[in-house]
Amino acid sequence: YMRLVAINKALGRSEPTFSDGFLIDSTPPEVTDVYFKYGAYTPTTNEIEVGWYVTENAAEITTLNVELLEINGNNKIKIDDAVFTDLPRFSYTFTGLNLTHNKTYVVSMNALNEIGLISDSILSEPIRIDTTEPIKPTTIDDGIFTSRNYEITVSLTNGSDDESGVKGYNYFIL
């Protein structure tokens, strides 16, 4: 709190007035996580959704700065950015993009609070664009006819995907 008294030239003093109190906050906000909502891979090239978690102290967060970056060797090239002052906000979809197959991207983010303290920027885990379908597996079965009505014998070779790998297989008996 602060107490304020006015003093005139004749050394007369006014009644004191008191502030309503104030807090000292010397700790910047913290971005605790920033992430791609799709995970580590996506086939989408024109938009990408990101989310985040932030922590504020006594002073409220007033601005969030988000950048989408392409990883090119040791360099990070800015693809797009967004600045948010309409808070709280916990996700954003970058749209109108032209992301490249087999390229890797990250998101960088920081937060600014109402007294001007800025958080450290953190990077998301990377996401890779994979627009190709996996190479289909081949199957070898019993042929057109089988005398067994209780089992079918099938062997297959694995499919492959050089960019994001094969997650699994769906089997259908038609």
Side-chain angles (χ1 to χ4, degrees), residues 19-139:
S19 72
D20 59 355
F22 50 89
L23 297 173
I24 297 173
D25 185 357
S26 61
T27 306
E30 182 181 8
V31 179
T32 56
D33 193 17
V34 59
Y35 56 92
F36 289 101
K37 294 226 174 170
Y38 301 115
Y41 300 95
T42 184
T44 306
T45 60
N46 62 342
E47 68 179 29
I48 199 158
E49 187 175 4
V50 298
W52 54 79
Y53 297 102
V54 294
T55 303
E56 58 190 18
N57 299 301
E60 288 186 21
I61 294 174
T62 58
T63 307
L64 297 173
N65 301 296
V66 184
E67 290 184 330
L68 177 62
L69 307 168
E70 178 185 315
I71 302 296
N72 188 354
N74 290 332
N75 299 318
K76 295 176 184 75
I77 302 163
K78 184 165 82 168
I79 302 300
D80 202 356
D81 65 351
V83 177
F84 302 107
T85 56
D86 56 333
L87 304 175
R89 184 178 197 118
F90 303 102
S91 66
Y92 177 69
T93 301
F94 288 100
T95 60
L97 301 173
N98 189 19
L99 303 178
T100 304
H101 169 73
N102 211 24
K103 292 280 187 177
T104 302
Y105 299 87
V106 294
V107 172
S108 174
M109 183 176 177
N110 66 32
L112 175 74
N113 69 14
E114 63 188 326
I115 57 175
L117 298 173
I118 193 162
S119 71
D120 291 334
S121 292
I122 69 163
L123 292 176
S124 68
E125 292 294 321
I127 192 169
R128 176 170 275 182
I129 307 302
D130 182 0
T131 61
T132 61
E133 296 178 359
I135 296 170
K136 71 178 182 177
T138 58
T139 60

